[in-house]
Amino acid sequence: MKRVLFVLIIYHLSLITTLAQPKSDPVIMTINGTDVPRSEFEYSYNKNNSDGVIDKKTVDEYVDLFINYKLKVAAALDAKLDTLTSFKQEFAMYRDQQVRPTFVTDADIMKAAHEAYDQAKKEIGPKGLIHPAHILVRLFSNATQRDQDIAKLRADTIYKMLKNGADWDNIALRFSDDRKTARNGGLLAWIAPKQAFQEFEDAAYALQVGEISQPVLTPSGYHIILMKEKKQLEPFDSLKASIIQKLEQQDMRDRIAEQNIIQKVLDSFGRKSKEDVLVERTDSLSAADPEMRYLIQEYHDGLLLYEISNREVWEKGAKDEAGLAAYFKEHKRDYAWSEPRYKGIAYHVQNKADVKAVKNCVKKLPFDQWAEALRTTFNPDSVIRIRVEKGLFKQGDNALIDKEVFKSNTTVTPMEGYPIDAVYGKLLKKGPEDYTDVRGQVTADYQDMLEKAWVYDLRRRYPFTVNKEVLKTVNKHP
């Protein structure tokens, strides 16, 4: 019930604000008893005629499009499409995307950043941060005793080479099993306490800058550690930007928004739900910001427009087989073509007997059933007996049909494993014999006819008026 009330509030918001419209935002039109302020029309017009739009409209040209849009929404409301669960859920999801971020303030973000910093500082403690490099001699968990002995000997040998003056970066590149870091001298990221294996941490923190450890055994193998740098955690101000950036990547804003919404629910002592809180915020934002009001209304109306258009035009037209057939019959001349088409198949088989078998399989079936019949008859499992290309071909579409049907001097590339080529179908010289031959084009034309008839009916059913004097002032006022 609350969602229904919310939808009604949003839809009638423009009416409510129009009743209190200042003279600076006069009524530009009235549609089905609802006044439309000039600012709403301007919002829609400017958004749909921005610099990136190819087919820009003048204000006068856009008026009819806008009226049709509003009439369709009125029809959707009369059909109670705004009470559908699917509509309410999708609209609430979009509304939340727009409204939830407003529950987060700069102070909230700064507080979260300070909390993250304080927690990191507590975890790091007096030990500080270290920046080590390492050379790894890897040992797997299932290593035999011989494997362990070989790894220990190898690690000791590398350590002796380093103590005798070998270049660290060169040795790391040549011998470290950690190939991700080997090219960079084995350099690891900065490490805080409890971020590495305990054996590694104990040995690393005991080193001074520039010192190299003896081989240290961890569950990953033997590490020889070089201490590059040590430091304490920097002051908050020097890390603030990076902390905030990291928190943003962790969806910090969503978490803060959720916490603040829940807090408002708790503060109401159970009188409000999360939905109530979001509705209240939506109303307050819409009242203060026309852009937000029209953006939310636009999505609300857009969802309704999609659903009603699908029912009245798109899905209705696409599934109305009888209507499509009748439309094609009446407008058949519109689909005539200047060059013939071949309605059939080009196919390739492995043995000569299948050439006739394919023809016998489909010759008594409607064209739209050929593909399934051929698949189940000849290619029902992993054994592929035939290869087929089915369609409505004009010259140039298929080399085999060009050669066999249109008698072109064309070279047909043999299909490997299917040496015998054949075609089957009929040549349509003047145009399609059935609407299914040009279904896509017929469907689009039929839907266009339904659209025009629907708009004509809407314009007769719902009253509307346009204030032409106000229309002249669109985008031409202070």
Side-chain angles (χ1 to χ4, degrees):
M1 184 61 183
K2 291 173 183 174
R3 286 186 179 273
V4 175
L5 290 174
F6 170 76
V7 170
L8 292 174
I9 288 170
I10 289 295
Y11 178 71
H12 292 296
L13 187 58
S14 61
L15 174 60
I16 294 170
T17 55
T18 298
L19 294 175
Q21 283 293 322
K23 292 182 180 179
S24 60
D25 192 12
V27 172
I28 196 169
M29 62 183 70
T30 302
I31 299 176
N32 194 34
T34 299
D35 290 340
V36 178
R38 181 176 59 193
S39 61
E40 180 183 350
F41 179 83
E42 285 180 333
Y43 169 85
S44 180
Y45 174 76
N46 292 333
K47 184 172 183 178
N48 289 285
N49 289 275
S50 59
D51 292 339
V53 175
I54 297 175
D55 185 22
K56 289 187 178 182
K57 305 294 184 184
T58 65
V59 170
D60 289 336
E61 290 171 337
Y62 192 72
V63 167
D64 280 343
L65 296 176
F66 185 82
I67 290 172
N68 292 345
Y69 166 68
K70 285 292 187 178
L71 292 176
K72 292 173 184 177
V73 173
L77 289 168
D78 279 353
K80 301 188 183 305
L81 299 186
D82 58 329
T83 66
L84 295 174
T85 300
S86 57
F87 167 82
K88 291 187 287 185
Q89 288 176 344
E90 187 169 359
F91 176 61
M93 179 180 67
Y94 176 81
R95 176 208 63 196
D96 292 354
Q97 289 175 353
Q98 303 303 313
V99 173
R100 285 174 68 90
T102 68
F103 284 92
V104 182
T105 66
D106 290 342
D108 290 327
I109 295 173
M110 193 57 63
K111 180 183 177 183
H114 273 289
E115 289 174 351
Y117 177 83
D118 292 341
Q119 181 63 31
K121 188 173 183 179
K122 180 180 178 181
E123 291 176 356
I124 292 171
K127 294 179 71 173
L129 300 165
I130 56 173
H131 198 194
H134 79 148
I135 296 171
L136 173 66
V137 176
R138 193 178 302 281
L139 259 179
F140 295 101
S141 58
N142 60 350
T144 64
Q145 185 60 52
R146 183 173 182 276
D147 294 333
Q148 296 176 43
D149 293 341
I150 292 173
K152 180 64 168 65
L153 177 60
R154 184 171 167 231
D156 288 341
T157 301
I158 293 171
Y159 176 70
K160 288 178 181 178
M161 292 168 64
L162 292 168
K163 295 301 287 183
N164 289 332
D167 178 71
W168 172 275
D169 288 353
N170 183 44
I171 295 298
L173 180 61
R174 291 174 59 194
F175 297 113
S176 179
D177 291 331
D178 182 357
R179 302 314 300 169
K180 289 183 179 180
T181 65
R183 294 182 180 276
N184 194 28
L187 189 64
L188 299 170
W190 282 93
I191 296 175
K194 299 181 181 179
Q195 287 187 338
F197 290 123
Q198 190 63 50
E199 301 90 343
F200 185 100
E201 180 180 321
D202 291 344
Y205 271 96
L207 296 173
Q208 298 300 314
V209 174
E211 284 189 327
I212 297 175
S213 74
Q214 294 187 19
V216 178
L217 181 61
T218 76
S220 292
Y222 286 97
H223 306 258
I224 302 168
I225 307 168
L226 167 62
M227 184 51 56
K228 303 288 285 188
E229 299 177 85
K230 287 187 172 185
K231 67 177 182 181
Q232 292 298 317
L233 186 64
E234 293 90 338
F236 173 78
D237 285 344
S238 64
L239 298 175
K240 179 173 64 176
S242 61
I243 293 173
I244 290 175
Q245 182 181 18
K246 187 173 182 180
L247 290 174
E248 293 276 16
Q249 294 172 348
Q250 296 172 347
D251 300 324
M252 173 266 291
R253 285 183 177 272
D254 285 344
R255 294 201 304 272
I256 293 176
E258 182 67 14
Q259 291 169 1
N260 289 347
I261 292 170
I262 295 299
Q263 188 58 51
K264 287 184 178 295
V265 172
L266 296 174
D267 291 345
S268 71
F269 300 103
R271 290 180 288 104
K272 298 177 183 177
S273 66
K274 285 176 60 177
E275 179 71 11
D276 296 327
V277 171
L278 289 163
V279 168
E280 286 184 359
R281 179 58 62 90
T282 302
D283 290 347
S284 63
L285 290 171
S286 296
D289 181 3
E291 288 284 324
M292 175 65 80
R293 175 168 73 248
Y294 296 144
L295 179 64
I296 292 176
Q297 181 178 322
E298 180 182 47
Y299 195 81
H300 170 273
D301 292 353
L303 287 174
L304 291 176
L305 177 65
Y306 176 84
E307 184 62 34
I308 193 74
S309 297
N310 203 36
R311 294 185 178 201
E312 296 293 334
V313 178
W314 303 329
E315 187 174 1
K316 179 180 178 180
K319 293 184 176 181
D320 183 6
E321 301 294 336
L324 290 167
Y327 183 87
F328 172 77
K329 184 177 180 181
E330 185 177 350
H331 300 86
K332 190 171 183 179
R333 289 184 178 179
D334 296 341
Y335 304 102
W337 41 57
S338 57
E339 55 183 1
R341 305 286 196 276
Y342 185 71
K343 182 179 179 180
I345 55 175
Y347 61 104
H348 315 273
V349 298
Q350 296 172 329
N351 61 77
K352 200 167 184 177
D354 277 344
V355 172
K356 187 175 182 180
V358 166
K359 296 177 181 179
N360 291 335
C361 176
V362 300
K363 66 181 180 181
K364 294 183 179 181
L365 295 177
F367 188 62
D368 60 0
Q369 295 180 19
W370 285 18
E372 180 63 15
L374 292 171
R375 186 191 66 81
T376 56
T377 302
F378 296 95
N379 302 333
D381 47 37
S382 59
V383 179
I384 308 299
R385 285 172 57 188
I386 65 172
R387 296 285 187 181
V388 181
E389 186 177 355
K390 171 181 174 286
L392 198 65
F393 305 92
K394 65 179 183 297
Q395 191 167 357
D397 287 346
N398 182 282
L400 181 58
I401 289 175
D402 285 351
K403 180 180 180 180
E404 298 295 331
V405 178
F406 296 114
K407 307 305 178 183
S408 301
N409 185 19
T410 304
T411 301
V412 178
T413 303
M415 180 172 288
E416 185 177 354
Y418 301 84
I420 305 171
D421 303 323
V423 299
Y424 182 71
K426 65 173 66 174
L427 187 65
L428 306 178
K429 294 183 178 181
K430 295 182 179 181
E433 62 179 358
D434 186 81
Y435 80 93
T436 58
D437 296 337
V438 282
R439 174 184 283 273
Q441 188 178 351
V442 172
T443 300
D445 292 342
Y446 183 54
Q447 288 172 334
D448 185 57
M449 184 194 74
L450 292 176
E451 165 86 12
K452 291 176 180 177
W454 181 38
V455 169
Y456 177 78
D457 179 66
L458 292 175
R459 283 175 169 258
R460 295 181 61 190
R461 193 192 325 169
Y462 297 110
F464 60 90
T465 59
V466 177
N467 189 327
K468 294 187 177 180
E469 292 304 313
V470 175
L471 189 65
K472 293 177 182 177
T473 68
V474 169
N475 292 333
K476 298 177 182 178
H477 57 88

